Amino acid sequence: TQLLEQSPQFLSIQEGENLTVYCNSSSVFSSLQWYRQEPGEGPVLLVTVVTGGEVKKLKRLTFQFGDARKDSSLHITAAQPGDTGLYLCAGGVSYDKVIFGPGTSLSVIP
Amino acid sequence: ETGVTQTPRHLVMGMTNKKSLKCEQHLGHNAMYWYKQSAKKPLELMFVYNFKEQTENNSVPSRFSPECPNSSHLFLHLHTLQPEDSALYLCASSQDLRRMNTEAFFGQGTRLTVV
């Protein structure tokens, strides 16, 4: 069974701090996506990474795909209250199958 | 607004009721999906439709019955549910199956409570 683990499960930080959340697996993925989900809403796609070692930046968010395509990290610089939400990673297993991690719940306190 | 609309947003139903969830996308996508999100569990893929044809059924109980009349609409018919079926049910779409894991767009979900 392929699983994605995310850590930490919960994270509460002050506005302006930096943070990193992780997504790990023993399986190799063809691609990896990061989503943010706000309470009562559906997940919103932030980024997709497909190449081992790839780094993508989206304003204050930096995403990295591990060289072996088994893990990924999301780094947020100078967190803001609007960054609060559940961060989900999802790994592409095959062209028509994707699995999700359990998520990291982030709370940014003003 | 992602272009994927789900109704109703909230639903409370008894175990003997029959209800339906609706999903509509105006993105011109050909693949649509139903996911279940329970507390403290990862999103679970339930059903996959590609060009109106069901291609995946991940061992979902028969009390959940999907319907895809066209590429823009997807329904999930519910009957004789159990309290443990209470969850957030999410619909998603992508241009095609190949882009399922690169460019999927989710609706806002239906929060279902079975009493």
Side-chain angles (χ1 to χ4, degrees):
Chain A
T1 302
Q2 294 164 302
L3 292 173
L4 270 174
E5 298 178 341
Q6 291 190 245
S7 61
Q9 185 178 358
F10 299 98
L11 185 58
S12 182
I13 62 170
Q14 293 291 131
E15 182 177 0
E17 292 184 351
N18 301 332
L19 67 114
T20 302
V21 297
Y22 301 92
C23 176
N24 298 286
S25 176
S26 57
S27 302
V28 176
F29 295 104
S30 58
S31 65
L32 198 134
Q33 299 167 286
W34 284 94
Y35 292 85
R36 180 171 64 225
Q37 184 177 19
E38 298 184 12
E41 303 291 332
V44 176
L45 181 65
L46 296 174
V47 78
T48 299
V49 286
V50 296
T51 305
E54 182 177 2
V55 176
K56 280 192 175 180
K57 292 191 175 183
L58 184 65
K59 296 183 180 178
R60 294 178 292 102
L61 278 60
T62 302
F63 305 85
Q64 184 166 8
F65 201 12
D67 291 341
R69 305 208 315 276
K70 294 182 178 181
D71 54 84
S72 180
S73 63
L74 160 59
H75 181 80
I76 300 179
T77 302
Q80 299 177 0
D83 296 325
T84 293
L86 180 68
Y87 287 81
L88 298 165
C89 66
V93 177
S94 61
Y95 85 98
D96 63 347
K97 184 177 180 180
V98 59
I99 61 171
F100 280 79
T104 291
S105 181
L106 172 65
S107 178
V108 181
I109 302 167
Chain B
E1 177 60 51
T2 63
V4 180
T5 304
Q6 290 187 242
T7 55
R9 293 292 309 277
H10 301 273
L11 178 63
V12 179
M13 60 184 290
M15 289 189 284
T16 59
N17 291 161
K18 290 184 179 181
K19 297 287 184 182
S20 296
L21 309 184
K22 179 182 177 182
C23 176
E24 186 173 358
Q25 57 93 3
H26 300 287
L27 301 169
H29 290 172
N30 296 307
M32 296 185 76
Y33 318 89
W34 279 117
Y35 282 90
K36 177 183 179 182
Q37 188 175 34
S38 305
K40 301 181 180 179
K41 292 179 66 175
L43 264 74
E44 301 171 71
L45 180 63
M46 300 174 69
F47 300 104
V48 177
Y49 276 84
N50 189 38
F51 289 95
K52 303 187 299 178
E53 298 297 321
Q54 183 175 314
T55 63
E56 188 82 21
N57 175 345
N58 282 332
S59 303
V60 180
S62 60
R63 57 185 184 269
F64 295 92
S65 175
E67 178 189 2
C68 188
N70 55 61
S71 295
S72 299
H73 294 84
L74 186 63
F75 295 89
L76 187 61
H77 303 300
L78 315 171
H79 65 96
T80 325
L81 294 194
Q82 305 297 313
E84 58 265 29
D85 296 322
S86 298
L88 181 69
Y89 288 84
L90 291 159
C91 173
S93 72
S94 61
Q95 182 62 48
D96 49 48
L97 278 187
R98 187 171 299 277
R99 301 187 204 191
M100 176 185 185
N101 50 34
T102 59
E103 296 177 340
F105 296 86
F106 283 83
Q108 294 171 305
T110 294
R111 172 66 64 186
L112 173 68
T113 303
V114 181
V115 298

